[in-house]
């Protein structure tokens, strides 16, 4: 956990600072040599807890660290550690109800994303293959919880009528890399990654049509979504 001052009270303050600071910056380092006489510190339970608590993104795994790596391997937690180093975004749910798209993302990794990155919704026309891209989150660094939600009313998007496949795109912000799928973020889900373009399949299909209109009444106010120009008529129960 690094080098701290000798004062016990200061160490607690310093550790608390590191825990908070590493929510926003990269945390890593070199693992100490495995010490069998003090093995309680290096058990899988304690190690994974500390890696999570201090938001680890990387560490050295060779040299005198090999003893601890062997211990983690023998005790069955090395694969978990490999999966959770850094951020690990996973799509937990996506659905479309009343033309409203809901996306929920969990960050199951030890750390957060520490570089700025934007999220885009891609709608690909099933007939023409024409793609439409819309910014849905200005900073993926905010995806720090196990249930981060994005809600979007699809009829508000300016696209032609048609049937669309929906994807989530998390490209590199560097213009020279933004179209390179090798630098896009892949969600930790099975059968959702599109390696050719770096998209994550939301496994949703949606059809926009002239009839995709939502009408509801709230507090005696008539709300009409999904259409820009319209006229309406009111009738009583006798049709007058």
């Amino acid at each position: 956990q690094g080098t701290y001052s000798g004062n016990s009270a200061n160490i607690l303050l310093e550790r608390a600072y590191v825990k908070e600071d590493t929510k926003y910056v990269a945390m890593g380092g070199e693992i100490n040599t495995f010490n069998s006489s003090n093995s309680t510190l290096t058990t899988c339970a304690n190690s994974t807890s500390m890696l999570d608590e201090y938001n680890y993104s990387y560490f050295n795994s060779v040299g005198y660290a090999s003893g601890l790596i062997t211990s983690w391997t023998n005790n069955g937690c090395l694969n978990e550690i490999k999966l959770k180093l850094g951020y690990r975004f996973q799509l937990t749910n996506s659905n479309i109800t009343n033309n409203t798209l809901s996306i929920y993302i969990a960050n199951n990794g030890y750390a957060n994303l520490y570089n700025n990155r934007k999220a885009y919704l891609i709608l690909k026309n099933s007939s023409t293959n024409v793609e439409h891209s819309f910014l849905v989150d200005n900073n993926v660094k905010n995806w720090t919880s196990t249930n981060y939600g994005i809600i979007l009313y699809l009829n508000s998007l300016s696209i032609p009528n048609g049937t669309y496949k929906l994807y989530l795109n998390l490209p590199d912000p560097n213009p020279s890399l933004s179209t390179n799928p090798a630098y896009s973020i892949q969600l930790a889900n099975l059968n959702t990654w599109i390696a050719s373009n770096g998209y994550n399949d939301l496994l949703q299909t949606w059809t926009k049509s002239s009839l995709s209109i939502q009408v509801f009444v709230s507090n005696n106010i008539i709300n009409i979504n999904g259409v820009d120009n319209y006229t309406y008529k009111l009738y009583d129960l006798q049709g007058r």
Side-chain angles (χ1 to χ4, degrees):
Q1 294 298 319
T3 301
Y4 298 96
S5 60
N7 183 286
S8 298
N10 286 346
I11 290 176
L12 292 177
L13 291 174
E14 290 164 3
R15 286 182 179 272
Y17 175 84
V18 172
K19 292 175 186 178
E20 188 65 24
D21 187 51
T22 53
K23 291 179 180 178
Y24 311 101
V25 298
M27 174 61 167
E30 194 166 37
I31 302 172
N32 286 332
T33 305
F34 176 71
N35 185 347
S36 58
S37 64
N38 194 17
S39 58
T40 56
L41 291 176
T42 54
T43 61
C44 279
N46 189 70
S47 296
T48 55
S49 175
M50 297 291 275
L51 291 169
D52 188 27
E53 197 172 354
Y54 288 87
N55 308 297
Y56 266 78
S57 290
Y58 70 94
F59 55 73
N60 178 37
S61 61
V62 296
Y64 61 77
S66 59
L68 183 52
I69 297 298
T70 300
S71 174
W72 286 344
T73 301
N74 293 339
N75 288 284
C77 63
L78 182 62
N79 285 338
E80 176 189 348
I81 291 172
K82 288 180 177 180
L83 290 175
K84 291 188 174 182
L85 279 174
Y87 59 86
R88 181 175 172 82
F89 296 134
Q90 184 172 6
L91 177 68
T92 58
N93 182 265
S94 72
N95 66 80
I96 299 174
T97 304
N98 295 326
N99 297 308
T100 300
L101 171 66
S102 302
I103 304 171
Y104 292 95
I105 304 287
N107 182 5
N108 296 318
Y110 294 141
N112 301 322
L113 188 69
Y114 46 81
N115 287 327
N116 293 329
R117 187 174 293 239
K118 297 179 178 180
Y120 297 87
L121 176 68
I122 307 296
L123 292 94
K124 182 177 180 180
N125 190 291
S126 300
S127 299
T128 65
N129 289 327
V130 173
E131 295 182 359
H132 304 269
S133 178
F134 298 92
L135 178 67
V136 292
D137 199 307
N138 201 47
N139 200 343
V140 180
K141 286 171 64 175
N142 295 324
W143 296 7
T144 60
S145 71
T146 56
N147 194 35
Y148 187 86
I150 298 172
I151 310 296
L152 181 65
Y153 183 59
L154 294 173
N155 271 335
S156 67
L157 305 178
S158 298
I159 57 175
N161 291 346
T163 299
Y164 294 87
K165 283 280 294 175
L166 276 60
Y167 304 90
L168 187 65
N169 185 25
L170 306 170
D172 192 285
N174 189 317
S176 65
L177 300 174
S178 61
T179 59
N180 188 333
Y183 291 86
S184 292
I185 291 178
Q186 177 181 356
L187 299 182
N189 295 82
L190 295 175
N191 305 317
T192 59
W193 176 242
I194 313 297
S196 59
N197 54 24
Y199 295 170
N200 295 278
D201 193 344
L202 293 175
L203 306 176
Q204 297 293 338
T205 300
W206 174 70
T207 299
K208 180 175 183 179
S209 70
S210 300
L211 299 178
S212 299
I213 300 172
Q214 185 181 45
V215 180
F216 60 95
V217 178
S218 177
N219 295 324
N220 294 318
I221 298 174
I222 300 175
N223 298 271
I224 303 176
N225 296 328
V227 62
D228 295 324
N229 299 306
Y230 57 87
T231 60
Y232 62 88
K233 297 180 181 181
L234 296 177
Y235 297 88
D236 60 21
L237 294 177
Q238 283 71 47
R240 296 173 296 187

